[in-house]
Amino acid sequence: MNRELDLLGEPLAGVRLVEAGAGSGKTFAIAALYLRLVLEQGLRPEQIVVVTFTEAAAGELRDRIRARLRSARQALNGNVHSSDPFLRGLIGQYTEPARREHAQTLLRDALREFDNAAIHTIHAFCRRQLQEFAFESGAAFNAEFLHDQSGLVEEVAGDFWRKRIYPLGPLRLAGLKASKLSHEGLCKLARIRLNHANAELAPVATVDEGELTRAEQGFAAAFQSVRDKWREPGVAEEVKGLLGQEGMYKAYYSEAKLPALWRNLESLLAGSPARAMTPFKEFGCLTAGFVADKAGKKVEVPPEHPFFDLCEVLLQLRDELAGQYAAVADNVRREFAEQLPGELAGRKQALGVLGFDDLIADMDKALRGEGAGGMRRAVRARYKAALIDEFQDTDPRQYHIFSTLFGPEDSAETSAKTGKGGKHSHKQQASCLFLIGDPKQAIYRFRGADVFAYLEAREDAQEVRTLSRNWRSEPGLVTAVNAVFSRRDKPFLLPRVEFLEARAAEREQDILVEDPAPGAPASTSPLQVWLLDEGGENAKGLTKEQAEEQLYTALDAE
């Protein structure tokens, strides 16, 4: 069991990972550690780097840390009596006049210099290091920053689509479209690929071009056979008579539905084989097996006709060909995913621009190159401590950056050569590095997070601490969530991602309870589960649209 983070007594050295769930006071903890770094180690704001993920979070951290420094100075001056146990405990360590005066001076200077505080997003941090240590990193001096690279990504996808897809014949184009391959889909794939640059691409089934061509020819011939048979004299009348006779299932062959079936069939057969890759929905009603199955008891002899057999063959060949086209589509997607990083990088280089992902990639690359040692020494000379917020959003490259810059010396040398960390010895020297995050959030891969990079960091950390007290939720809800997730040994499936029960903050708080309708019982259950109506035992389940409609209706009723 990991120990609770002691904000007053935790050593300010080495690599420490703090696991903190939602509402556990992460920002409060970061501000408290920052204050201690100023008072206990005499660090200036420009010597403490604080990294988070978004500009909004960086702004909030800046405000909260400044306010913490200001309140501590006021408390030391005796102007304010704080009810904050942490602040009271910290100020209580400075009763000696000389020590108290020195602390006041440190806080005064920190507030005066706070505009220089190194509180950044991960991208801003990397950009600054690449620019200021350009010789060590090998970064370009004059590269412009591209805030939105979506236009370039769409351009790469468009060019790939034109070169790779446009030359294909109509049948193959139709088959790939039926396999959900599209320019828009490639753009979506590009975003996923760029967010997981280090991910290995999954293998895909190989496609035999000769076999595929023969399958296409067979399908086209089957389509022609259906069309020729339908156009033979008397066949259309025979088929219509068989399916329109008394006793056929009205759900498919009623007088109201048959006219549309014939119109759709005529339209299909007037086109090319490509249209038959996605035939109209009711085409299956013309296949031999379906027709025989839907003949009622009043039909003495199930309808049979060569046309039904040909339609059956056509659908079978379509399904087989669709499987091959699905493999082709997977190959095209993989080909695009393989080419995208290099193609995008080449266009950016030609334009002299860098994007958000490039900043992290270039920083990671710089810390693996020949100048890695010099760059690391230069960064460590500037920053004596690092506090990394939202660390659950990390990925292998980001963790490599932080562990190389602020981890133990020998671990950084190994990491710079191989890109892999190692278990840190407590005797190894490291600057102060706090990694603060929630592994339960990392499993969802939000912002490209990699839960395994987080778990590697936990293995490498010299100490792991927790923030288990929930200051946001009312006690009943905390208890309910604990009960739900504690029922399983591995509630998040991954063995190393544990569920640590939270503790509700010991304070009075009002509970928002909706007044019940007249005659209805009051419900104060903090955690309630809503079940969607699937339509009874014989229902086939809900579509996404149906589920969303129920959800919106329920929320609106609240």
Side-chain angles (χ1 to χ4, degrees), residues 394-471:
T394 195
D395 62 23
R397 293 182 305 180
Q398 293 177 38
Y399 175 54
H400 172 247
I401 291 169
F402 294 131
S403 61
T404 301
L405 291 177
F406 303 108
E409 293 286 349
D410 62 342
S411 174
E413 292 173 1
T414 301
S415 180
K417 293 176 181 178
T418 67
K420 297 181 179 180
K423 188 66 179 177
H424 299 159
S425 166
H426 288 251
K427 296 181 180 179
Q428 297 168 341
Q429 294 298 315
S431 58
C432 175
L433 173 62
F434 276 84
L435 307 170
I436 304 166
D438 181 3
K440 298 187 296 298
Q441 297 182 44
I443 63 176
Y444 297 108
R445 295 192 171 187
F446 186 49
R447 299 174 181 146
D450 186 323
V451 66
F452 299 104
Y454 181 96
L455 293 174
E456 180 186 352
R458 186 163 68 179
E459 289 291 325
D460 291 348
Q462 292 169 288
E463 299 291 347
V464 178
R465 299 288 185 256
T466 61
L467 285 174
S468 62
R469 183 164 296 174
N470 187 308
W471 297 88

Side-chain angles (χ1 to χ4, degrees), residues 364-382:
D364 175 62
K365 182 180 179 180
L367 291 174
R368 300 180 193 273
E370 295 181 358
M375 185 176 186
R376 181 175 187 271
R377 287 189 293 272
V379 172
R380 285 172 71 103
R382 165 169 291 177

Side-chain angles (χ1 to χ4, degrees), residues 502-543:
R503 297 178 297 143
E506 298 175 359
R507 58 175 180 167
E508 294 185 3
Q509 54 182 317
D510 295 330
I511 301 176
L512 179 62
V513 180
E514 182 182 14
D515 291 333
S523 176
T524 57
S525 299
L527 179 63
Q528 300 182 34
V529 178
W530 290 356
L531 300 178
L532 297 178
D533 181 8
E534 297 189 31
E537 296 181 0
N538 298 323
K540 297 182 179 180
L542 294 173
T543 64

